[in-house]
Amino acid sequence: MSEDEALVLAGRLEQVERKFPGALAGRNRNNAHLVFRCMDEIAFNRTILDIVEDLIGPNILLWGSVLFIKEPETEAHVSWHQDAAYMGLEPHDFVTPWLALSPSNPKSGCLRVIPASHHAPLRQHRDTFAQHNILTRGQTVEVDETRAVDLVLRPGQASCHHPRIIHGSKPNSSQQRRIGVALQSCIAPHVRQTRGDSYAILARGEDHYNFHTLLTRREPTPRRKTPPGAPW
């Protein structure tokens, strides 16, 4: 999407935060697309789904979404990890689009990856529960950071990463918020959940497997050009 569109979405997201303090904090940063229209518009963005279709095929389930927001000049970071190590989804036929709603660069703590690490089996992770780690358990693996590549994105640009790619991010040392939305993840319908119940929304195509409980997306009504009150 254009940078202007991304910045408008960021503004609407920040309106949510002001209107409902704490609504997107902690565990509530998960699956906000089920509640707020601005997040729904990201989750079901046609361009993003077109890219996902190129990667995993025409049948797409949205398993979840996660907000990754780093405040300016703070210690919040994401340790090196692999998504598939804790998601319980098998096989690994899924992808995570990561959309930037603000500049995401080395200074603001952009996503970093270890190239080609997804070709290897999953690594054993260690839970640290570190104070400033954005991950719930602070799960981490040891890597050679000299191999790391920064995924630099302007607002409106997105990256897509494989569930076995080792990735993480440093703190935001800039004076601007770093706002990212991960659609974690867009999965093919034949992917199973191996750890309990699983819920998803059919984002495109058909589901012939019924491995997940499908939630019904409430189609958003058209937004007025000048909505009274909150346009989120």
Side-chain angles (χ1 to χ4, degrees):
M1 65 183 66
S2 71
E3 186 165 330
D4 287 343
E5 289 174 297
L7 294 176
V8 167
L9 282 168
R12 290 168 61 194
L13 190 63
E14 290 178 327
Q15 281 185 294
V16 170
E17 293 176 299
R18 289 192 293 270
K19 180 73 174 181
F20 305 104
L24 299 177
R27 293 183 182 272
N28 291 338
R29 65 192 182 91
N30 296 291
N31 297 324
H33 68 282
L34 299 176
V35 183
F36 298 111
R37 184 164 53 189
C38 56
M39 286 291 292
D40 174 275
E41 291 175 16
I42 295 170
F44 299 97
N45 178 280
R46 291 183 180 180
T47 303
I48 294 176
L49 291 177
D50 286 344
I51 295 168
V52 171
E53 182 172 340
D54 284 346
L55 295 170
I56 68 171
N59 301 318
I60 303 169
L61 298 178
L62 176 61
W63 192 70
S65 67
V66 188
L67 278 163
F68 285 95
I69 299 176
K70 294 179 181 176
E71 300 300 334
E73 300 180 322
T74 56
E75 297 182 49
H77 66 280
V78 178
S79 54
W80 293 111
H81 69 286
Q82 296 166 293
D83 294 340
Y86 58 89
M87 294 175 73
L89 295 172
E90 298 282 351
H92 299 156
D93 296 335
F94 55 98
V95 65
T96 296
W98 198 102
L99 174 69
L101 296 184
S102 67
S104 187
N105 52 50
K107 190 171 180 62
S108 66
C110 64
L111 191 69
R112 310 176 76 212
V113 302
I114 304 298
S117 55
H118 62 296
H119 292 303
L122 285 175
R123 300 264 300 274
Q124 185 66 39
H125 286 58
R126 176 173 57 90
D127 292 345
T128 67
F129 296 98
Q131 179 181 2
H132 299 293
N133 198 324
I134 294 176
L135 299 181
T136 306
R137 303 194 311 271
Q139 52 268 38
T140 187
V141 294
E142 299 299 323
V143 301
D144 177 5
E145 293 200 28
T146 64
R147 296 182 53 219
V149 173
D150 294 322
L151 301 187
V152 177
L153 303 172
R154 297 193 306 273
Q157 291 186 323
S159 62
C160 290
H161 63 264
H162 190 279
R164 286 197 307 273
I165 197 81
I166 297 176
H167 62 289
S169 63
K170 293 182 177 181
N172 179 6
S173 61
S174 76
Q175 297 183 353
Q176 182 177 359
R177 297 183 95 198
R178 196 219 65 173
I179 305 174
V181 179
L183 302 183
Q184 194 178 49
S185 288
C186 294
I187 69 176
H190 65 268
V191 173
R192 290 177 178 267
Q193 171 58 251
T194 64
R195 303 175 185 173
D197 298 329
S198 182
Y199 299 85
I201 295 179
L202 184 64
R204 179 172 288 185
E206 299 177 329
D207 176 12
H208 299 294
Y209 294 86
N210 300 315
F211 290 155
H212 309 266
T213 299
L214 293 186
L215 304 176
T216 301
R217 179 194 179 202
R218 182 179 178 182
E219 293 287 345
T221 55
R223 295 179 65 231
R224 293 185 288 262
K225 291 185 178 180
T226 53
W232 28 265

Short mmCIF file of all heavy atoms in Angstrom, two decimals, residues 2 12 24 28 98 100 109 113-114 120 127 141 173-174 178 202-203 216:
data_model
loop_
_atom_site.label_atom_id
_atom_site.label_comp_id
_atom_site.label_asym_id
_atom_site.label_seq_id
_atom_site.Cartn_x
_atom_site.Cartn_y
_atom_site.Cartn_z
N SER A 2 0.30 2.37 -0.29
CA SER A 2 1.09 3.59 -0.30
C SER A 2 1.49 3.96 1.13
O SER A 2 0.88 3.54 2.11
CB SER A 2 0.29 4.74 -0.92
OG SER A 2 -0.75 5.14 -0.04
N ARG A 12 -5.24 5.52 12.84
CA ARG A 12 -6.48 4.90 13.33
C ARG A 12 -6.18 3.92 14.46
O ARG A 12 -6.93 3.82 15.44
CB ARG A 12 -7.20 4.21 12.18
CG ARG A 12 -7.81 5.17 11.17
CD ARG A 12 -8.26 4.46 9.91
NE ARG A 12 -9.28 3.46 10.18
CZ ARG A 12 -9.65 2.52 9.31
NH1 ARG A 12 -9.05 2.45 8.12
NH2 ARG A 12 -10.58 1.66 9.61
N LEU A 24 -4.74 -2.91 23.50
CA LEU A 24 -3.80 -3.55 22.57
C LEU A 24 -2.47 -3.84 23.24
O LEU A 24 -1.46 -4.03 22.57
CB LEU A 24 -3.59 -2.66 21.34
CG LEU A 24 -4.84 -2.38 20.51
CD1 LEU A 24 -4.50 -1.42 19.37
CD2 LEU A 24 -5.43 -3.66 19.96
N ASN A 28 -3.23 -8.77 24.64
CA ASN A 28 -4.26 -8.19 23.78
C ASN A 28 -3.73 -7.71 22.44
O ASN A 28 -4.51 -7.30 21.58
CB ASN A 28 -4.96 -7.03 24.49
CG ASN A 28 -5.79 -7.48 25.66
OD1 ASN A 28 -6.19 -8.64 25.74
ND2 ASN A 28 -6.05 -6.58 26.59
N TRP A 98 4.55 -9.39 7.25
CA TRP A 98 4.86 -8.39 8.29
C TRP A 98 4.79 -7.02 7.65
O TRP A 98 5.63 -6.65 6.83
CB TRP A 98 6.25 -8.66 8.86
CG TRP A 98 6.57 -8.05 10.19
CD1 TRP A 98 6.58 -8.66 11.40
CD2 TRP A 98 6.96 -6.68 10.45
NE1 TRP A 98 6.94 -7.78 12.39
CE2 TRP A 98 7.18 -6.56 11.83
CE3 TRP A 98 7.13 -5.56 9.63
CZ2 TRP A 98 7.56 -5.35 12.42
CZ3 TRP A 98 7.50 -4.36 10.22
CH2 TRP A 98 7.72 -4.26 11.60
N ALA A 100 4.77 -2.90 7.73
CA ALA A 100 5.25 -1.73 8.47
C ALA A 100 4.24 -0.59 8.37
O ALA A 100 3.82 -0.22 7.27
CB ALA A 100 6.60 -1.28 7.93
N GLY A 109 14.67 -0.54 15.14
CA GLY A 109 14.54 -1.93 15.57
C GLY A 109 13.79 -2.79 14.57
O GLY A 109 12.83 -3.47 14.92
N VAL A 113 16.87 -11.19 10.02
CA VAL A 113 16.78 -12.63 9.77
C VAL A 113 18.16 -13.22 9.56
O VAL A 113 19.12 -12.51 9.21
CB VAL A 113 15.89 -12.93 8.53
CG1 VAL A 113 14.49 -12.36 8.71
CG2 VAL A 113 16.53 -12.39 7.25
N ILE A 114 18.25 -14.54 9.79
CA ILE A 114 19.45 -15.29 9.46
C ILE A 114 19.17 -16.00 8.15
O ILE A 114 18.37 -16.95 8.11
CB ILE A 114 19.80 -16.31 10.57
CG1 ILE A 114 19.96 -15.60 11.92
CG2 ILE A 114 21.06 -17.07 10.19
CD1 ILE A 114 21.08 -14.58 11.97
N ALA A 120 17.03 -25.62 7.45
CA ALA A 120 17.45 -26.58 8.47
C ALA A 120 16.27 -26.95 9.36
O ALA A 120 15.26 -26.24 9.40
CB ALA A 120 18.58 -25.99 9.31
N ASP A 127 13.68 -20.80 27.06
CA ASP A 127 12.83 -19.74 27.58
C ASP A 127 13.61 -18.89 28.59
O ASP A 127 14.19 -19.43 29.54
CB ASP A 127 11.59 -20.33 28.26
CG ASP A 127 10.64 -21.01 27.29
OD1 ASP A 127 10.79 -20.77 26.08
OD2 ASP A 127 9.76 -21.76 27.73
N VAL A 141 17.19 -18.70 20.58
CA VAL A 141 18.22 -19.63 20.13
C VAL A 141 19.51 -18.84 19.91
O VAL A 141 19.48 -17.63 19.68
CB VAL A 141 17.83 -20.35 18.81
CG1 VAL A 141 16.64 -21.27 19.03
CG2 VAL A 141 17.53 -19.34 17.71
N SER A 173 15.87 2.62 19.07
CA SER A 173 16.65 3.74 19.60
C SER A 173 16.30 5.06 18.93
O SER A 173 16.94 6.09 19.19
CB SER A 173 18.16 3.46 19.42
OG SER A 173 18.47 3.30 18.04
N SER A 174 15.28 5.04 18.06
CA SER A 174 14.86 6.27 17.38
C SER A 174 13.89 7.06 18.27
O SER A 174 13.53 6.61 19.36
CB SER A 174 14.19 5.94 16.05
OG SER A 174 12.87 5.44 16.24
N ARG A 178 7.86 2.47 16.45
CA ARG A 178 7.94 1.49 15.36
C ARG A 178 6.73 0.59 15.47
O ARG A 178 6.55 -0.15 16.44
CB ARG A 178 9.22 0.66 15.44
CG ARG A 178 9.51 -0.07 14.12
CD ARG A 178 10.04 -1.45 14.33
NE ARG A 178 9.06 -2.32 14.97
CZ ARG A 178 9.24 -3.62 15.15
NH1 ARG A 178 10.35 -4.19 14.75
NH2 ARG A 178 8.31 -4.36 15.75
N LEU A 202 -11.32 -18.18 7.12
CA LEU A 202 -11.04 -18.42 5.70
C LEU A 202 -10.86 -17.07 5.02
O LEU A 202 -11.82 -16.31 4.86
CB LEU A 202 -12.18 -19.21 5.06
CG LEU A 202 -11.97 -19.61 3.59
CD1 LEU A 202 -10.78 -20.56 3.46
CD2 LEU A 202 -13.23 -20.25 3.03
N ALA A 203 -9.63 -16.77 4.64
CA ALA A 203 -9.32 -15.47 4.03
C ALA A 203 -9.51 -15.49 2.52
O ALA A 203 -9.82 -14.47 1.91
CB ALA A 203 -7.89 -15.06 4.36
N THR A 216 -16.31 -16.73 11.75
CA THR A 216 -16.98 -15.97 10.69
C THR A 216 -16.52 -14.53 10.73
O THR A 216 -16.62 -13.86 11.76
CB THR A 216 -18.50 -16.04 10.84
OG1 THR A 216 -18.92 -17.40 10.79
CG2 THR A 216 -19.18 -15.26 9.72
#
